Amino acid sequence: MFKEVDPPAILSNAEKKVNIYQINGKPTVPEDVDNNTPLEELNLNWTEKDLPEKIRTKHVNRLHPYLGKFIPQIVEIFLRKYFLPGQTVLDPFCGSGTTLVQANELGINSIGFDISEFNIMLVNAKTKPYDHIKLKKEAHDLLEKVRQVLDKDDHPNLFSESTDKSFSLKTDNEYLNTWFAPSALREILVFRNLIEEYQNKDLFKIVLSRSARSARLTTHFDLDFPKKPQTEPYYCYKHSRTCYPTTDAFKFLKRYLLDSIKRVEEYSHLRTDAKVSAIHTDSRTATIEPVDGIITSPPYVGLIDYHAQHNYAYNLLGLADNSTKEIGAAKNGSSKKAKEEYKQAMVDVLSNTSNFVKVGGKIIVIAGDRDNLYPEIGERAKLKLESVVERHVNRRTGRRNTEFFESIFIYTK
Ligand SMILES: C[S@@+](CC[C@H](N)C(=O)[O-])C[C@H]1O[C@@H](n2cnc3c(N)ncnc32)[C@H](O)[C@@H]1O
């Protein structure tokens, strides 16, 4: 007799580790979540098809590249599950501001800390209200002025005799002189030198930084941490052909200016009057008013240098360098000693910031905790671990397509 057997498993070994794949095939839709949604029903294992890049990087979430941000949909789900409009959430590692952007959309007040000044600039540019007519007018005026200066500028030292030093188109900054072709650097410096006269200068600085990132002498396939300037044509893995290092920054300035205007306008339709406050500080020592809970994704041991990833912005805008206070910086490695230091730093952050959380409030930490450090960190910070939700991250595309697990630790104060 023919005996029916179980169909072969269609899940990969990695997928089998996450029970939720078997329980419920459909990933959670953020808008369907509220305070009553059971944790066990959450399915956070989106595939690339479920959650394409365009949706993960909607409106201001892609105002500027940032390596190491979490996806807005995860934050939205936990904001909806554990917070109500009018309450306040703290993100002690706010990075590019995903928590603050999404909280505001839901009418939840938010406070963010970050040790990197560029990140705070970025969060402010994303979340502030804009007068869109004025913004468009200023952007148009700025581009026109840049064009006029560049047209006149048949020699690179147009402003070198100016008494105003800030208008010099020569720079003795070694990073800038090494990482840009002279023509691209000239365009970038003209734009930078004109920005200060505009009301919307903060957004224009983000545009400048994004353009500088694209206009560096790098290969197209290694924009995150290029090791040395690329001055010759090269075989491009991204485009499968020979590509040339760029000598032009103006096209990026124009493109990103228009894109940024579009993104802040899209967000303005979702923005609420909830308060947003981004503070440049060390989370181990910062103090604030009471909050209802915390949602954060901390830096991990030896993974990313958060200042260095935007070093073009630090060099162009003269921002403060607090990189020695970065927790878990890649440059400190992931040795046993580095892990011990990391654990202590995270205990300090959670002990300090949980002081501001009301009793019973939730502290939600999203981390790819491959060394299983967080149960101990929570215990030492005197937090009660209520649950851990596992998430299989398999949606990445391009050269960074390795899959991994992320854990969402839910602690109670
Ligand atoms: C994983 S990222 C956060 C990304 C964020 N969730 C987002 O969506 O953009 C961690 C952040 O922690 C910040 N950081 C590192 N050490 C810090 C410290 N001592 N105090 C405050 N922020 C710190 C880094 O600058 C980085 O922006």
Side-chain angles (χ1 to χ4, degrees), residues 92 100 106 108 134 139 153 167 184 197 252 267 287-288 376:
L100 286 71
L106 297 170
I108 298 166
K134 172 102 186 159
D153 182 19
F167 258 76
E197 51 184 87
F252 295 117
Y267 186 59
T287 56
I288 39 157
E376 181 191 332

Side-chain angles (χ1 to χ4, degrees), residues 52 62 65 79 188 193 214 309 316 347 352 366 381 387 394 399:
R62 176 51 79 71
L79 284 167
I188 279 171
N193 293 347
S214 297
Q309 73 161 296
L316 267 171
V347 169
N352 178 42
I366 303 175
S387 323
N394 61 352
R399 295 189 98 214

Side-chain angles (χ1 to χ4, degrees), residues 97-316:
T98 317
T99 304
L100 286 71
V101 167
Q102 294 311 124
N104 181 279
E105 252 187 70
L106 297 170
I108 298 166
N109 303 312
S110 56
I111 301 172
F113 299 151
D114 206 282
I115 200 68
S116 151
E117 191 178 0
F118 177 75
N119 296 349
I120 297 299
M121 271 181 59
L122 178 56
V123 179
N124 284 330
K126 284 181 176 182
T127 53
K128 66 192 261 191
Y130 288 92
D131 170 343
H132 297 279
I133 296 174
K134 172 102 186 159
L135 174 58
K136 279 184 195 152
K137 211 164 156 276
E138 286 199 346
H140 184 261
D141 189 72
L142 172 59
L143 272 188
E144 240 348 272
K145 282 210 176 110
V146 173
R147 220 191 303 259
Q148 280 168 19
V149 172
L150 291 172
D151 282 351
K152 268 194 278 167
D153 182 19
D154 48 6
H155 61 96
N157 303 325
L158 184 74
F159 294 124
S160 59
E161 280 163 30
S162 164
T163 46
D164 180 356
K165 275 239 160 49
S166 66
F167 258 76
S168 172
L169 283 189
K170 266 190 172 169
T171 171
D172 47 20
N173 181 303
E174 202 191 323
Y175 175 91
L176 298 178
N177 284 325
T178 315
W179 281 90
F180 295 92
S183 49
L185 182 58
R186 197 159 70 237
E187 290 162 7
I188 279 171
L189 293 178
V190 170
F191 188 94
R192 182 195 70 180
N193 293 347
L194 290 166
I195 283 177
E196 283 298 332
E197 51 184 87
Y198 294 97
Q199 250 177 42
N200 291 292
K201 59 182 174 221
D202 293 345
L203 182 63
F204 297 158
K205 285 180 186 171
I206 299 301
V207 172
L208 173 73
S209 171
R210 188 175 169 194
S211 309
R213 181 180 185 274
S214 297
R216 285 170 304 165
L217 290 170
T218 61
T219 58
H220 293 137
F221 54 84
D222 191 11
L223 286 162
D224 287 334
F225 288 109
K227 286 179 193 55
K228 58 177 179 47
Q230 180 71 36
T231 51
E232 301 293 325
Y234 57 96
Y235 181 76
C236 181
Y237 297 105
K238 187 170 171 192
H239 301 114
S240 306
R241 59 178 155 82
T242 300
C243 285
Y244 298 83
T246 184
T247 53
D248 177 8
F250 188 77
K251 68 174 180 215
F252 295 117
L253 290 162
K254 186 175 168 199
R255 185 188 307 161
Y256 297 151
L257 200 48
L258 298 178
D259 183 67
S260 300
I261 291 171
K262 190 177 102 229
R263 287 179 183 277
V264 296
E265 190 154 17
E266 271 166 24
Y267 186 59
S268 72
H269 300 299
L270 304 166
R271 227 185 146 273
T272 66
D273 289 335
K275 280 187 260 162
V276 181
S277 163
I279 307 169
H280 182 210
T281 185
D282 188 328
S283 294
R284 286 170 281 206
T285 49
T287 56
I288 39 157
E289 72 226 40
V291 295
D292 295 281
I294 291 177
I295 300 187
T296 196
S297 69
Y300 204 67
V301 208
L303 221 53
I304 296 175
D305 288 318
Y306 285 94
H307 281 71
Q309 73 161 296
H310 301 125
N311 52 8
Y312 42 88
Y314 283 84
N315 279 286
L316 267 171

